[in-house]
Amino acid sequence: HEPASSGKVLCDKRGMKYPESRLLLFTKAPEPGKVKTRLADFLGAAAAAELYEQLVFNCLETSISADLCPVDICCSPSTEHPFFQHCHNHYHVVLQQQCRGDIGQRMSSAIKSALQYAEHTVLIGADCPELTANDLETAFEFLQQGTDVVLGPAADGGYYLIGMSNHHACLFEGIPWSTHRVLAATERHLRKQGLGWHSLPVRRDVDTAADYAVYMAMK
């Protein structure tokens, strides 16, 4: 069954290409000092939080306008945070609470929960402005065709997207999170488990001053 949304409106699935799938946007509330901390050293905490808020909105616009499937926001610290309530009211997305644990445990739990009611699940971060609707559609297309896992490699050695139709908990265990080795470690797990995967184009997150310069040049 689909998750209770505590009074939150479920979106209209009519016309969606993958209505029984789910796109999970994994994000934090844009509080100064708690998001984009590396950028805060360069921009200041308030400006870094404001930038992150804009990135979340941009990602929501891309995700919803793609019209592929319902979009859920996986929220930290709480679904009751005013920022997430605004996102719900403006975009009519369902809000899910992130569990406790490291980033791997939280992503694994969110995907496992979604796959209890969704045919395919794609999870994305909010800080990759180069992400396109075509990237999202390609991810779901490969999952629909039976590919085990889809990855969106990030230029910093991590990934901006991971999708699967069955929960593969091993992909979130023993990974050196927040390092340039995340993608390589994930691919090692895939090979070890005999899982097939498709890689999307390499995209750049906005984490550093250099990333920020590239982002501003895109605008």
Side-chain angles (χ1 to χ4, degrees):
H1 66 284
E2 298 203 1
S5 55
S6 58
K8 302 169 180 64
V9 180
L10 293 172
C11 69
D12 187 347
K13 297 181 181 180
R14 289 175 296 184
M16 291 183 172
K17 194 167 183 179
Y18 301 100
E20 303 311 316
S21 295
R22 267 302 190 282
L23 179 59
L24 306 179
L25 175 56
F26 212 74
T27 189
K28 298 178 183 179
E31 297 178 355
K34 296 185 178 179
V35 295
K36 293 295 159 201
T37 51
R38 280 183 287 173
L39 270 180
D41 293 338
F42 166 65
L43 294 176
E50 186 176 328
L51 170 65
Y52 185 73
E53 178 178 289
Q54 189 57 55
L55 290 171
V56 175
F57 288 147
N58 290 348
C59 190
L60 276 169
E61 295 282 358
T62 299
S63 300
I64 292 167
S65 64
D67 206 23
L68 295 169
C69 65
V71 177
D72 293 358
I73 302 180
C74 300
C75 308
S76 175
S78 168
T79 57
E80 300 306 315
H81 192 284
F83 174 74
F84 294 125
Q85 289 296 311
H86 169 78
C87 290
H88 164 68
N89 293 331
H90 187 77
Y91 294 101
H92 306 295
V93 290
V94 170
L95 305 178
Q96 306 282 0
Q97 180 70 49
Q98 289 185 31
C99 72
R100 295 182 181 274
D102 66 25
I103 183 68
Q105 292 168 323
R106 287 181 281 129
M107 290 194 297
S108 182
S109 176
I111 289 173
K112 182 179 181 180
S113 296
L115 286 173
Q116 292 175 2
Y117 55 86
E119 185 177 1
H120 313 296
T121 298
V122 168
L123 183 148
I124 57 175
D127 54 355
C128 182
E130 296 180 359
L131 176 75
T132 68
N134 186 61
D135 292 333
L136 298 174
E137 183 165 9
T138 300
F140 282 108
E141 284 175 353
F142 273 89
L143 293 174
Q144 183 77 8
Q145 292 165 13
T147 302
D148 294 317
V149 173
V150 177
L151 288 172
D156 62 4
Y159 56 76
Y160 60 85
L161 176 153
I162 186 167
M164 57 192 70
S165 305
N166 296 291
H167 181 232
H168 301 292
C170 62
L171 300 183
F172 305 98
E173 298 167 356
I175 302 293
W177 301 110
S178 301
T179 75
H180 65 279
R181 304 191 306 275
V182 169
L183 182 67
T186 304
E187 290 178 341
R188 277 198 302 274
H189 283 3
L190 285 164
R191 285 190 290 270
K192 185 176 180 180
Q193 296 297 319
L195 297 170
W197 75 94
H198 174 77
S199 292
L200 296 170
V202 176
R203 304 290 188 206
R204 182 189 287 265
D205 293 332
V206 182
D207 288 318
T208 65
D211 297 333
Y212 179 75
V214 173
Y215 170 66
M216 293 305 292
M218 288 170 52
K219 297 182 72 173

